Amino acid sequence: MFLPRLLSWNVTYECNLKCEHCYIDAVGVGGAKKTELTTEEGKRLLDQIAELSKTVVVLSGGEPLLRKDIYELAEHGTRNGLRMVMGTNGTLIDDKIAEKLKESGVMRVGISIDSIYPDTHDRFRGEKGAFKKAIEGAKSCKKAGLSFQIHSTVTTANYDEIAEQIDFSVDLGADAFHVFFLVPTGRAKDLVDITPEQYEKALRALVENQKDYPIEVKPVCAPQFMRIASQRKVLSKLERYTRGCLAGTNYCRIKPDGEVNPCPYLPITIGNVKEESFVDIWNNSEVFKTLRDFDSLKGRCGACSYKDICGGCRARAYAYTDDYLEEEPWCVYEP
């Protein structure tokens, strides 16, 4: 049975930064759209999610801390038995906000830091001083006893410093480091990505060095890490992960206006929670049913013996071919 293990809710389009790779193409402070879910609509959504599964719900954005009712929503989800976490740029977190997040039931905060070098991070995030503020936000979380992890999106600008970023995250006191691999959607469409060969090399290093990491290190938007772990016979070290691509199987995204997509990087509309129950959307979507049938995959992905544990990135396939069932264009493996 396919139940949500992780859901991402972009609670607002509003953001205080101007990141080069923003998949939702966020707007500036004060630019929140009137179509965004109200507090009551948001609570109803959380109620419906809880009917299906006591899953992890990621409160994301834009910048979720710009939403005035964010603590109320986090608390409501927590009361429902949902595991509430947050994805943030970290620049708005101080000691008081870290305490409020913890009190509202937020279990962990994911803070985006894309480089160990301030200038590289600030340039990527579109604001001078963003690095310093994100570091201060992480320290406030640590002080409050609020678990946090570091998120970094891999580009040509920071590809060579992944190992250093892991060490940096450990020194900062993070509980995990998640490496996001670029998907060309939103503002990221015009960014120059790393090559497929660099992608494979980075994944091999991340998988093969798992035993040496003192914290959780996970590749994101890189389902091939499961294939590589199987090939290297270290799959048992990643047993908490059931599959590479979870889009539509154990994961989906809800946009600020209630639109549901298989994942944040796969802009196919499945339904809208303003018009129908999330439970019905999850259980009855024809797109979701197709994604749950691994035999529907095409090309090399369809012929691959690892399709049950990998599946290829459906968002990357869609970005390059307009067909979310096509083979993963960034995978170098020949089945």
Side-chain angles (χ1 to χ4, degrees):
M1 188 175 183
F2 294 95
L3 291 173
R5 292 182 58 240
L6 176 68
L7 295 176
S8 180
W9 176 19
N10 296 110
V11 296
T12 183
Y13 289 105
E14 194 173 359
C15 190
N16 60 316
L17 298 184
K18 304 177 186 66
C19 303
E20 289 183 356
H21 66 307
C22 183
Y23 61 79
I24 202 168
D25 200 7
V27 296
V29 175
K33 300 180 182 179
K34 294 180 180 178
T35 55
E36 293 180 7
L37 297 180
T38 65
T39 303
E40 291 310 309
E41 287 172 333
K43 288 181 177 179
R44 186 167 65 245
L45 168 63
L46 293 169
D47 292 341
Q48 292 168 2
I49 291 171
E51 284 182 46
L52 277 170
S53 170
K54 305 305 182 185
T55 185
V56 175
V57 176
V58 184
L59 300 172
S60 184
E63 173 48 55
L65 287 171
L66 288 173
R67 184 157 173 152
K68 293 180 175 60
D69 60 357
I70 196 66
Y71 308 105
E72 185 178 352
L73 291 170
E75 190 173 332
H76 187 82
T78 300
R79 283 200 302 268
N80 264 308
L82 298 170
R83 289 169 286 167
M84 305 301 291
V85 300
M86 178 177 287
T88 170
N89 60 46
T91 62
L92 302 179
I93 299 177
D94 55 22
D95 291 355
K96 182 179 178 181
I97 286 178
E99 289 285 355
K100 288 177 70 175
L101 287 170
K102 188 174 182 183
E103 289 169 6
S104 68
V106 171
M107 299 176 70
R108 182 176 287 186
V109 172
I111 297 176
S112 298
I113 300 178
D114 296 298
S115 175
I116 61 172
Y117 303 107
D119 287 346
T120 301
H121 174 84
D122 291 355
R123 186 165 55 251
F124 199 48
R125 295 282 161 179
E127 181 176 305
K128 189 73 174 173
F131 179 87
K132 183 175 183 293
K133 291 177 183 176
I135 296 297
E136 290 171 351
K139 290 179 177 178
S140 289
C141 290
K142 189 69 176 177
K143 182 178 178 181
L146 174 60
S147 175
F148 72 94
Q149 63 191 45
I150 300 302
H151 295 168
S152 178
T153 299
V154 177
T155 65
T156 53
N158 64 2
Y159 173 78
D160 292 327
E161 56 175 284
I162 296 175
E164 293 173 287
Q165 286 182 305
I166 294 171
D167 291 338
F168 178 81
S169 300
V170 172
D171 292 343
L172 200 55
D175 291 309
F177 177 74
H178 285 193
V179 191
F180 286 73
F181 287 82
L182 200 67
V183 179
T185 187
R187 289 205 288 262
K189 282 182 179 178
D190 298 325
L191 291 184
V192 178
D193 202 353
I194 60 175
T195 66
E197 291 73 26
Q198 288 176 311
Y199 175 73
E200 180 82 2
K201 181 180 178 182
L203 289 180
R204 287 186 182 279
L206 290 168
V207 168
E208 291 167 1
N209 294 328
Q210 281 289 318
K211 66 181 184 301
D212 300 323
Y213 299 140
I215 60 174
E216 175 193 83
V217 174
K218 181 189 177 186
V220 182
C221 299
Q224 288 78 14
F225 82 91
M226 292 291 283
R227 183 254 301 163
I228 293 170
S230 180
Q231 290 173 324
R232 290 290 184 268
K233 303 189 186 308
V234 294
L235 202 55
S236 60
K237 294 182 175 63
L238 298 166
E239 59 187 6
R240 62 188 175 276
Y241 307 124
T242 56
R243 192 167 188 261
C245 183
L246 299 177
T249 61
N250 301 109
Y251 174 61
C252 73
R253 181 269 291 269
I254 302 99
K255 291 179 70 175
D257 56 9
E259 183 181 296
V260 179
N261 308 126
C263 91
Y265 309 98
L266 183 50
I268 297 174
T269 303
I270 305 302
N272 194 301
V273 298
K274 287 184 177 181
E275 300 163 1
E276 54 187 315
S277 166
F278 178 77
V279 176
D280 291 336
I281 295 171
W282 179 267
N283 287 332
N284 301 320
S285 162
E286 290 302 320
V287 172
F288 282 179
K289 288 177 182 178
T290 302
L291 287 167
R292 293 165 189 171
D293 175 11
F294 305 148
D295 290 332
S296 67
L297 297 177
K298 301 176 183 178
R300 288 178 297 136
C301 286
C304 186
S305 59
Y306 296 104
K307 64 184 175 185
D308 289 351
I309 62 170
C310 172
C313 177
R314 298 299 95 217
R316 199 172 282 113
Y318 183 77
Y320 284 99
T321 70
D322 289 327
D323 184 348
Y324 62 89
L325 296 175
E326 267 296 350
E327 66 182 33
E328 153 78 84
W330 236 235
C331 181
V332 299
Y333 178 68
E334 290 293 340

